[in-house]
Amino acid sequence: MPGYSNIVILTGAGLSAESGVPTFRDKGGIWAKYDYRDVATPEGFAKNPVLVHEFYNMRRRAHEGIKPNAAHLALARLEQTYPGEVTVVTQNVDALHEQAGSHNLIHMHGEIFAALCDSCRARRPWTADLSLDLACPTCGHKGGMRPDVVWFGEMPYHMTRIAKLLATADLFISIGTSGNVYPAAGFVAEAAANGARTVELNLEPSDGVTLFDEAIHGPATQVVPAFVERLLNEN
Ligand code: OAD
């Protein structure tokens, strides 16, 4: 494997599965229990904000105490030791990448431990439950505090920065994502069109597996550390 100067890594729910965070589309996943239109759209929040708050309060509480797994740790080690640039673009709203030690990190779908005021758009770290009774600490507007996560129908964060990274990436790695949700699902084609080598690491072939130059299937805690080791040894 040649040395790379700009590695871009897209991560999804499968990366955190072995830390105990449920995925969305696997059997028994979050979208088997909830209709995403009720809990993950602006329309759902307008219709039933109490239900949306309950859903994210439950998930935020479930995230407390979880730990990064061997895959998160391997990616942090790659960033710290690889001679080229390594950036993680995550669809995950948990904080496991940063807990593992990744710094060059983009949360394209937002963060569960942050709140956003839908009136003044101020955002801030937030670990407590959210409710309709809360007033925004910045503008004072009451009832509009929401989790700082990107919902269906909303534009993911940092898309200009991500497009620039994909334009210059020479290795694109997709880990633990089913390839169902755009724009993230389109990143592999964008990176490949710009000349990057593309690799999928996932429990099973994703919906976009044929778009990748190489695919390695297995649990993230096994395949990710092994792939990182290979990158570090072959550089
Ligand atoms: P999905 O639930 O759609 O896909 C998870 C992927 O991880 C599947 O392809 C699984 O096979 C794989 N997987 C499961 N366990 C794994 C393991 N131990 N090791 C490796 N892979 C494993 O989750 P995402 O693709 O992340 O967005 O979903 C993308 C977006 O859809 C999420 O960010 C979320 C969701 O709706 C919003 O809520 C806006």
Side-chain angles (χ1 to χ4, degrees):
M1 211 184 295
Y4 296 99
S5 57
N6 185 9
I7 302 177
V8 177
I9 302 166
L10 173 69
T11 65
L15 187 77
S16 297
E18 290 163 88
S19 290
V21 182
T23 61
F24 294 94
R25 294 173 184 78
D26 290 304
K27 201 160 170 264
I30 292 173
W31 296 152
K33 299 185 180 113
Y34 293 87
D35 186 326
Y36 78 90
R37 288 166 296 197
D38 293 336
V39 294
T41 62
E43 295 77 18
F45 187 54
K47 200 168 128 198
N48 192 347
V50 173
L51 175 73
V52 176
H53 280 316
E54 276 171 12
F55 174 71
Y56 287 98
N57 289 342
M58 177 264 297
R59 285 181 59 199
R60 194 181 303 100
R61 286 189 218 129
H63 277 76
E64 277 163 21
I66 58 164
K67 299 259 180 320
N69 63 45
H72 298 100
L73 294 167
L75 295 180
R77 177 168 168 243
L78 184 69
E79 181 190 322
Q80 283 150 18
T81 52
Y82 196 78
E85 184 87 354
V86 176
T87 309
V88 172
V89 179
T90 189
Q91 299 167 91
N92 298 343
V93 296
D94 63 48
L96 295 176
H97 279 300
E98 43 275 62
Q99 281 177 30
S102 286
H103 296 287
N104 212 359
L105 172 67
I106 299 174
H107 272 285
M108 66 176 289
H109 286 171
E111 298 172 58
I112 193 117
F113 292 112
L116 167 72
C117 170
D118 73 0
S119 181
C120 74
R121 310 303 291 174
R123 52 169 59 101
R124 62 189 62 244
W126 202 278
T127 52
D129 282 359
L130 283 166
S131 75
L132 285 176
D133 302 332
L134 291 165
C136 170
T138 303
C139 72
H141 177 81
K142 197 174 163 193
M145 294 297 282
R146 56 167 277 186
D148 189 15
V149 299
V150 175
W151 286 329
F152 288 94
E154 296 181 324
M155 181 59 82
Y157 294 150
H158 309 296
M159 286 309 293
T160 307
R161 197 173 147 208
I162 294 169
K164 280 188 192 145
L165 282 165
L166 293 172
T168 54
D170 45 12
L171 176 63
F172 174 80
I173 311 169
S174 172
I175 308 175
T177 176
S178 60
N180 266 278
V181 175
Y182 285 84
F187 290 173
V188 56
E190 221 170 308
N194 291 317
R197 177 171 175 73
T198 56
V199 180
E200 164 170 298
L201 307 177
N202 205 50
L203 189 60
E204 59 199 7
S206 75
D207 287 0
V209 66
T210 54
L211 300 168
F212 291 86
D213 296 316
E214 182 181 357
I216 301 170
H217 296 127
T221 55
Q222 291 173 27
V223 295
V224 176
F227 191 78
V228 164
E229 203 58 40
R230 184 176 131 191
L231 273 175
L232 292 172
N233 288 338
E234 291 180 14
N235 181 57

